[in-house]
Amino acid sequence: MEFVNSIPEALSYDDVLLLPAYSDFLPHEADISTEILPGIRLKVPIVSAAMDTVTEDKMAIALALQGGVGVIHRNLTPREQAQQVLNVKRYLNFVIDNPYTVEPDQTIEDVWEIMQNNDISGLPVVENGVLSGIITSRDLRFCKDYRLKVRDVMTANPIAEVGTPAIQSARDKFDTHKIEKLPVVDENGKLTGLITVKDMEKHDKFPNAATDDSGRLLVGAAISPVDLDRRMPLLQQAKVDFVVLDTAHGTTKGVVQAVKTLKSKYETLVVAGNVATADGAKLLIDAGADCIKVGVGPGSICTTRIVAGIGVPQFSAVAEACSVANSAGVPVIADGGIKFSGDIVKAIGAGASAVMLGNLLAGMKESPGREILFEGRIFKAYRGMGSVAAIRKGSGDRYQMNEGDEPVPEGVEGRVPFKGELAPFVHQLITGLRKGMGYTGCRTLSQLRNYKKFVRITAAGLRESHAHDVVITHEPPNYSR
Ligand code: XMP
């Protein structure tokens, strides 16, 4: 049977290892920054999955503060999803573009209301858009009469930054004048923004944070070919940085058309997928995608390969897609199947620019949902977006099903161990990546992408690679079976 003999073999992460090689640097000196889209550079090559048990605003904020980026899932109404994007974008700023303001004739009661409703501690005072004062909780501390006018309580002629603000000049003003809010005005005195000391402190505390040009955290949102016109206007209003065409089968007419519409009508950055072949990657690159997402069936909760009999083991899928994407200069995100930090090294070694994680992040404190106590241990729920419960919440079209269809699932519902806060866990993952770079002598991710020295291992090799012939008595933070 000729055709059986000519069936190509495909490998998964467990089938391969990178060869160690000469290194002239220490792992902590490795540069793990990466570009996942034109102009979107991350200090940490980790993207959190657009799944309803993985990424909502809390996870997106926590991951972006560590240097990665989150993709808000789409089992939310367009309005809810856009609100979550907005929450991420508002969490950190250098300059707040559109600060809440008051007019001099408003009352102190109005000021309290705006401050409490929006959890802020001060407001610039403007008259016809021109800055005339500032009122903060400091001014209000001893003000008992809520009927007083703002003009009677505010600090008039406040210190301000004129023109395009520079970080150092703003810092100097905070220090010299012991203030907490610094309005920004143009040459005519019109308010154009607000800088707060709280934001400055957050920037200092999270030096790796993934931010846009205005110092706001980066965030993406999942959309589908069938709902993009409902989601895009709201997402763009919320200043989403990129969208992810989130489908299980990206090698389709619908996804190609959606990429074209997103590029021509909305001029947004698009991650398109999922594909598992070189042809699939080429199709979406030709359609105009800015980044390709790879993975058909490798996910820990996926049953697509079992239900539909299709797919490509993930290491080969990433390498295949990268054979086309890397030469076209289009980044690839390896989505699904990452079990340990070593798999991140292998995915990038196969040519990816970043990895998307579902399972590894589902058990974090910042992922949606509550902790579950079961038989004395703490867990969090983790389910496929193609599971019955997720389909019933609205994700059926990801698996080419119509609303109201009886679910034919391509995923399962389950639980994963609770792992605590994200920051120390991300540290484990990226230190594992740095170690891989140290062992291979690849100082940058682009060197690792081009390294290409792998060995295939057997089942015996895999068994030898894992802890074996021992009962683990103390689980390390980066390994469990
Ligand atoms: P991990 O391995 O990190 O994979 O848990 C997460 C990725 O799996 C995809 N995904 C699914 N694939 N059925 C599938 O075939 C599903 O129900 C499902 N839910 C998520 C998705 O690409 C995610 O990023």
Side-chain angles (χ1 to χ4, degrees):
M1 288 283 276
E2 176 107 12
F3 97 91
V4 173
N5 292 335
S6 64
I7 293 176
E9 243 181 10
L11 307 174
S12 72
Y13 295 130
D14 277 354
D15 292 318
V16 297
L17 285 172
L18 284 141
L19 277 179
Y22 174 75
S23 173
D24 59 1
F25 65 94
L26 290 170
H28 75 263
E29 294 167 314
D31 175 3
I32 58 167
S33 65
T34 191
E35 192 170 70
I36 57 159
L37 286 155
I40 302 246
R41 218 175 160 77
L42 303 177
K43 295 211 174 99
V44 164
I46 293 178
V47 183
S48 66
M51 298 174 71
D52 58 8
T53 45
V54 180
T55 311
E56 291 191 345
D57 48 0
K58 270 202 193 111
M59 171 58 75
I61 289 169
L63 185 55
L65 287 173
Q66 296 308 313
V69 70
V71 181
I72 307 285
H73 70 87
R74 62 183 175 85
N75 258 4
L76 295 163
T77 65
R79 200 160 287 286
E80 286 166 345
Q81 188 191 34
Q83 182 59 50
Q84 297 218 2
V85 167
L86 197 63
N87 296 346
V88 182
K89 297 307 286 181
R90 278 196 172 253
Y91 183 82
L92 183 66
N93 290 276
F94 173 49
V95 181
I96 302 166
D97 290 336
N98 246 324
Y100 296 102
T101 57
V102 277
E103 304 241 325
D105 284 331
Q106 285 185 259
T107 62
I108 298 306
E109 187 171 1
D110 296 334
V111 173
W112 273 119
E113 200 177 307
I114 299 173
M115 295 210 306
Q116 272 165 4
N117 287 348
N118 299 291
D119 194 22
I120 51 179
S121 61
L123 300 168
V125 184
V126 290
E127 249 179 313
N128 300 321
V130 173
L131 180 74
S132 61
I134 190 156
I135 185 156
T136 69
S137 38
R138 226 194 266 178
D139 301 307
L140 298 176
R141 193 163 300 149
F142 302 107
C143 175
K144 298 273 180 286
D145 185 353
Y146 281 23
R147 289 162 308 175
L148 281 177
K149 293 274 164 48
V150 167
R151 70 169 75 253
D152 301 323
V153 181
M154 72 183 193
T155 304
N157 305 316
I159 311 290
E161 188 75 1
V162 183
T164 310
I167 295 190
Q168 197 47 50
S169 142
R171 274 188 206 283
D172 292 345
K173 289 198 173 76
F174 283 122
D175 291 347
T176 315
H177 303 284
K178 309 267 177 294
I179 50 176
E180 297 199 347
K181 310 237 177 246
L182 183 62
V184 184
V185 293
D186 65 15
E187 321 63 71
N188 304 317
K190 279 216 169 209
L191 183 78
T192 57
L194 180 71
I195 305 175
T196 73
V197 86
K198 238 202 228 165
D199 277 327
M200 288 275 181
E201 282 166 2
K202 279 195 220 159
H203 276 292
D204 291 345
K205 200 167 156 206
F206 299 101
N208 287 337
T211 55
D212 62 20
D213 292 342
S214 308
R216 294 174 299 217
L217 294 177
L218 295 177
V219 63
I223 53 169
S224 117
V226 299
D227 67 10
L228 62 89
D229 282 323
R230 278 193 296 134
R231 291 188 187 268
M232 277 316 290
L234 294 169
L235 289 172
Q236 288 196 310
Q237 229 172 46
K239 299 219 159 37
V240 75
D241 294 286
F242 62 93
V243 293
V244 176
L245 262 174
D246 174 45
T247 76
H249 187 20
T251 315
T252 57
K253 188 172 163 189
V255 174
V256 168
Q257 269 166 358
V259 172
K260 289 184 178 162
T261 306
L262 285 166
K263 293 310 294 178
S264 58
K265 186 166 168 192
Y266 296 105
E267 296 178 8
T268 183
L269 290 173
V270 183
V271 179
N274 277 14
V275 300
T277 62
D279 285 348
K282 184 168 183 322
L283 183 78
L284 298 184
I285 291 168
D286 290 346
D290 301 290
C291 173
I292 305 298
K293 195 149 70 68
V294 176
V296 176
S300 57
I301 32 50
C302 301
T303 53
T304 294
R305 293 181 189 169
I306 305 305
V307 170
I310 57 88
V312 179
Q314 184 68 346
F315 178 77
S316 291
V318 174
E320 279 287 309
C322 288
S323 67
V324 171
N326 287 2
S327 45
V330 175
V332 160
I333 297 176
D335 174 17
I338 303 279
K339 307 172 292 303
F340 304 101
S341 54
D343 295 338
I344 302 179
V345 189
K346 294 174 191 178
I348 295 173
S353 292
V355 292
M356 179 173 261
L357 306 181
N359 183 303
L360 285 184
L361 302 183
M364 309 312 311
K365 187 164 171 242
E366 293 86 348
S367 60
R370 289 220 216 109
E371 288 91 72
I372 309 160
L373 190 63
F374 182 74
E375 293 182 347
R377 292 193 70 170
I378 306 174
F379 297 88
K380 283 194 86 159
Y382 181 43
R383 69 184 187 194
M385 293 301 275
S387 64
V388 172
I391 289 174
R392 292 225 157 97
K393 279 279 304 221
S395 58
D397 69 83
R398 189 176 196 274
Y399 301 90
Q400 303 172 36
M401 295 170 56
N402 294 318
E403 226 178 298
D405 281 356
E406 183 57 28
V408 178
E410 291 182 39
V412 298
E413 295 160 59
R415 58 169 185 265
V416 290
F418 176 63
K419 293 203 282 268
E421 289 193 359
L422 182 77
F425 186 67
V426 167
H427 173 73
Q428 294 293 329
L429 293 180
I430 60 177
T431 307
L433 169 60
R434 288 174 186 284
K435 283 172 187 280
M437 294 167 78
Y439 279 116
T440 51
C442 298
R443 202 184 263 268
T444 65
L445 289 192
S446 123
Q447 283 172 0
L448 179 57
R449 268 203 301 280
N450 292 310
Y451 179 67
K452 302 277 183 299
K453 289 183 192 136
F454 284 91
V455 283
R456 264 184 79 171
I457 61 171
T458 59
L462 180 63
R463 183 174 179 276
E464 183 185 75
S465 303
H466 278 284
H468 55 90
D469 304 306
V470 65
V471 174
I472 295 178
T473 52
H474 292 88
E475 264 184 20
N478 56 357
Y479 180 79
S480 75
R481 293 207 75 183

